[in-house]
């Protein structure tokens, strides 16, 4: 079991929002729970009572009541709060606990000076932009697409779009043209809002040519709106409208279209590494309830907080971050290179903005650790009471680094979920201690289980992560999937009526969770399942290795197959047999003989998505003969050129039957 690194204070129930919720349940529902486990079990057993309590406790603003919290419990097909009408933007802009003059959006970046919006200013900007969209003919059900970074304009556009009952979709401007058009040709937006470019660190990135290509590929567009972000003095694109004109002064009041609970709010997309990205439709009510629950009861965010998660508009964590004002938290937006001028950038920004909860990724925290960074030596982080980590499993050494170098009194919350549910279904809670290398708990309302190969639930053993009861933030569906077949195939084919997420998870007897990689990228040697996260922890712990990727090529005859490890070497390090032997020795010693790879190949870079996830599955497909363009959507990659080395290796392997000819052993 992981070492305990943080313990809740004795008065946690008096100090935390989940404690307030527990007192509310006792007073208003006559329910009393001795501990988190009892609360969780109730939340995933009596679903109607739990989700109605979230609605009532947070005083959701609605225009018509629901006939029942849950009319149909099956998956897929659960029907939440039928009859209710509400609006996500109305509930976010209520900003409970915030006065008009309070700052609620604090935006920093590397392209322009900082921007701060008060609660009153945010509402005013949303009012103006909603009126501007109306002038462009946008109404309920129309799609508005944003090719824009993590800046206030993008956030205002989301809320304005939602206020009208229209549907929002964003792509970060680092996305390539093909990646963007693969997404938006599916949803046929009526309006495109796009920046002219941005600055990443010291480098200006002009995106005008990409915007032109995107416009040409979207015949559905009625209007294009240009944001002069890189060049504030520059003209908007030809035949486009300036953002200032859309946001012009108007007398129109701020109103909110009452929409059904499952009315589409925004469309998110799978990573798009293979085939067309899945256009995942999320609804107003499901996202609102899930984010109220997670932000307040798990992350303990409220009106005293400034909430900062490093993300782009192409990752669902942006959608999660910008719900912060719904629980009264101010949000910190950052657009730029977190490594410029060095890895201390985000930590210094946390101090500068008074951040109380900083969210980032496991790769970033491990990079800081590897660089020997000690943030407390150059930033005052005494106001930081929470750190979040997602995007990949955080190993024990990542936990230890945070507690030694960021703060020993804060709560570190590792969480996992995904674009599919736009939340984390395993994460942290103020009520439970933090153990090194573990995700603390299963989230309230998320009936997460580990299933063995025969489909039975297991505790203390590696299993397939499944969700056995519906959640309101599960997708309304996939765009254009009229009969629901793509949606069912994505999550429910393996276990009918049960959501299969595609991760390997171990749930220990106290409810702690360890995720060990994607189940579709899992290594299976002789019937023994090996997660990828543990490989990376060992290999990337070596000073000579800065990145790595491992894949398992199965044997058609049922043998052990081949385990291939790819390593990116630190500058100045030469690949030789001594280093190969050292890597093998470390894996054998730290993990097991089964973890020793059959081949190790140095490569220039590990292919990653734009949200920094490693692409084990596409690499595996390339190595087994799939053409590169079929194995991965290049526009969804941060470094598509990295695939060339794997394609070359696949050709060499195909040309030589003798494994001894295949490279480093």
């Amino acid at each position: 079991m992981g070492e305990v690194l943080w313990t809740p204070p004795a008065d946690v129930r008096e100090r935390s929002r989940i404690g307030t919720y527990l007192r509310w349940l006792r007073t208003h529902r006559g329910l009393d729970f001795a501990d988190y486990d009892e609360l969780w079990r109730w939340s995933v057993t009596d679903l109607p009572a739990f989700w109605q309590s979230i609605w009532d406790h947070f005083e959701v603003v609605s225009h018509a009541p629901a006939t029942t919290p849950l009319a149909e419990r099956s998956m897929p097909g659960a029907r939440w709060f039928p009859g209710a009408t509400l609006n996500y933007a109305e509930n976010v802009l209520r900003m409970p606990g915030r006065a008009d003059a309070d700052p609620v959006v604090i935006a920093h970046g590397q392209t322009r000076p900082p921007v701060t919006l008060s609660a009153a200013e945010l509402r005013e900007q949303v009012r103006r932009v909603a009126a501007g969209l109306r002038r462009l003919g946008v109404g309920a059900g129309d799609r508005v697409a944003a090719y824009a970074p993590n800046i206030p304009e993008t956030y205002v556009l989301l809320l304005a779009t939602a206020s009208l009952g229209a549907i929002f979709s964003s792509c970060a401007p680092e996305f390539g043209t093909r990646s963007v058009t693969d997404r938006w040709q599916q949803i046929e937006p009526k309006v495109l809002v796009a920046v002219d470019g941005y600055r990443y660190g010291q480098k200006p990135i002009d995106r005008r040519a990409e915007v032109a290509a995107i416009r040409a590929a979207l015949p559905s567009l009625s209007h294009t709106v240009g944001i002069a972000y890189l060049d504030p003095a520059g003209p908007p694109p030809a035949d486009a409208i300036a953002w200032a004109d859309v946001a012009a002064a108007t007398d129109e009041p701020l109103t909110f279209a009452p929409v059904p609970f499952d009315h589409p709010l925004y469309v998110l997309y799978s990573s798009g590494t293979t085939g067309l990205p899945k256009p995942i439709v999320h609804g107003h009510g499901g996202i609102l309830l899930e984010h109220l629950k997670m932000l307040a009861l798990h992350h303990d965010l409220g009106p005293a907080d400034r909430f900062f998660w490093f993300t782009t508009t192409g990752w669902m964590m942006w959608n999660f971050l910008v719900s912060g004002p719904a629980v009264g938290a101010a949000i910190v937006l950052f657009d730029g290179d977190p490594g410029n001028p060095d890895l201390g950038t985000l930590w210094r920004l946390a101090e500068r903005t008074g951040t109380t909860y900083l969210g980032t990724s496991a790769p970033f925290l491990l990079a800081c650790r590897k660089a020997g960074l000690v943030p407390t030596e150059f930033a005052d982080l005494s106001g930081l009471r929470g750190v979040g980590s997602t995007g990949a499993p955080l190993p024990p050494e990542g936990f230890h680094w945070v507690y030694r170098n960021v703060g020993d009194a804060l709560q570190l919350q590792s969480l996992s979920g995904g674009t599919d549910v736009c939340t984390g279904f395993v994460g942290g809670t103020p009520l439970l201690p933090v153990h090194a290398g573990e995700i603390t708990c299963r989230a309230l309302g998320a009936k997460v289980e580990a299933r063995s190969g025969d489909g039975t639930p297991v505790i203390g053993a590696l299993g397939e992560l499944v969700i056995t009861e519906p959640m309101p933030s599960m997708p309304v569906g996939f765009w254009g999937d009229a009969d629901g077949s793509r949606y069912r195939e994505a999550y429910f084919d393996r276990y009918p009526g049960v959501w299969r997420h595609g991760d390997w998870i171990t749930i220990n007897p106290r409810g702690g969770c360890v995720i060990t990689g994607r189940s579709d990228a899992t290594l299976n040697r002789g019937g023994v399942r090996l997660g990828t996260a543990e490989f990376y922890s060992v290999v990337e712990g070596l000073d000579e290795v800065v990145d790595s990727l491992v894949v398992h090529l199965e044997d058609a005859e049922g043998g052990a197959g081949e385990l291939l490890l790819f390593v990116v070497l630190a500058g100045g390090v030469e690949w030789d047999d001594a280093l190969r032997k050292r890597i093998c020795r470390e894996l054998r010693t730290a993990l097991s003989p089964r973890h020793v790879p059959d081949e190790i190949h140095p490569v220039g870079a590990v292919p990653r998505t734009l949200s920094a996830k490693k692409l084990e599955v596409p690499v595996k497909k390339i190595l087994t003969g799939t053409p590169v363009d079929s194995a991965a959507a290049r526009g969804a990659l941060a470094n598509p050129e990295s695939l060339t080395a794997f394609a070359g290796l696949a050709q060499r392997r195909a040309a030589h039957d003798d494994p001894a000819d295949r490279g480093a052993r």
Side-chain angles (χ1 to χ4, degrees), residues 342-414:
D342 54 53
L343 285 170
T345 293
L346 298 187
W347 305 108
R348 286 188 289 267
L349 184 58
E351 175 191 4
R352 185 177 177 188
T353 56
T355 293
T356 59
Y357 194 108
L358 171 62
T360 179
S361 66
F364 175 77
L365 293 176
L366 293 173
C368 290
R369 173 183 176 270
K370 193 145 192 172
L373 211 65
V374 182
T376 52
E377 291 182 351
F378 55 82
D380 179 2
L381 300 175
S382 56
L384 199 61
R385 60 183 188 84
V387 170
S389 172
T390 191
L394 185 66
E397 54 266 31
F399 281 72
H400 284 290
W401 179 84
V402 168
Y403 278 99
R404 289 170 186 157
N405 300 284
V406 180
D408 58 7
L410 56 79
Q411 185 181 12
L412 172 59
Q413 295 186 329
S414 178

Side-chain angles (χ1 to χ4, degrees), residues 39-130:
L39 176 63
W40 177 79
R41 292 186 185 281
W42 168 72
S43 77
V44 296
T45 303
D46 195 344
L47 296 179
F50 170 69
W51 288 106
Q52 185 67 57
S53 80
I54 297 298
W55 182 294
D56 295 342
H57 176 67
F58 290 103
E59 299 177 342
V60 168
V61 177
S62 62
H63 296 259
T67 55
T68 180
L70 182 56
E72 174 58 56
R73 196 162 174 160
S74 62
M75 288 193 294
R79 292 179 58 233
W80 293 97
F81 294 90
T85 58
L86 76 171
N87 191 286
Y88 167 85
E90 183 174 16
N91 281 273
V92 171
L93 288 171
R94 183 177 46 160
M95 295 177 274
R98 290 286 178 181
D100 280 354
D102 287 350
V104 294
V105 178
I106 303 158
H108 287 250
Q110 295 165 340
T111 304
R112 69 180 176 197
V115 175
T116 297
L117 299 180
S118 67
E121 289 168 336
L122 177 61
R123 291 189 189 102
E124 173 64 8
Q125 290 206 13
V126 172
R127 182 184 72 84
R128 290 184 177 201
V129 172

Side-chain angles (χ1 to χ4, degrees), residues 560-574:
E562 292 181 276
L563 194 62
L564 307 185
L565 174 64
F566 301 91
V567 293
V568 180
L569 302 179
V573 173
E574 293 291 330

Side-chain angles (χ1 to χ4, degrees), residues 460-531:
L462 189 68
E464 184 93 44
L465 191 160
V466 300
I467 306 173
T468 59
E469 294 285 0
M471 295 170 60
S473 70
M474 285 176 173
V476 172
F478 291 170
W479 191 270
D481 183 26
D483 63 359
S485 57
R486 285 187 72 194
Y487 181 46
R488 287 191 300 273
E489 180 184 352
Y491 308 112
F492 301 103
D493 264 10
R494 176 74 177 272
Y495 306 111
V498 172
W499 174 293
R500 172 183 175 262
H501 193 65
D503 283 335
W504 291 124
I505 188 171
T506 302
I507 303 171
N508 64 31
R510 64 167 177 268
C513 306
V514 176
I515 289 181
T516 48
R518 295 289 296 174
S519 56
D520 51 9
T522 298
L523 321 168
N524 190 338
R525 305 203 85 187
V528 178
R529 294 171 178 166
L530 310 175

Side-chain angles (χ1 to χ4, degrees), residues 290 294 299 309 316-317 389-394 413-419 421-428 439-443 446 448 465 467 471 501 503-505 513-518 613:
E290 175 60 35
M294 203 70 190
H299 295 293
W309 206 294
M316 53 77 43
M317 290 309 300
S389 172
T390 191
L394 185 66
Q413 295 186 329
S414 178
L415 62 150
S416 183
T419 303
V421 286
C422 200
T423 189
F425 38 67
V426 292
I439 298 172
T440 301
C441 63
R442 291 169 281 186
V448 175
L465 191 160
I467 306 173
M471 295 170 60
H501 193 65
D503 283 335
W504 291 124
I505 188 171
C513 306
V514 176
I515 289 181
T516 48
R518 295 289 296 174
K613 293 185 179 179

Side-chain angles (χ1 to χ4, degrees), residues 29 75 105 108 121 161 182 201 262 265 328 411 444 498 531 555:
R29 297 291 194 267
M75 288 193 294
V105 178
H108 287 250
E121 289 168 336
T161 301
D182 278 352
D262 60 357
L265 168 63
Q411 185 181 12
L444 296 175
V498 172
D555 180 0

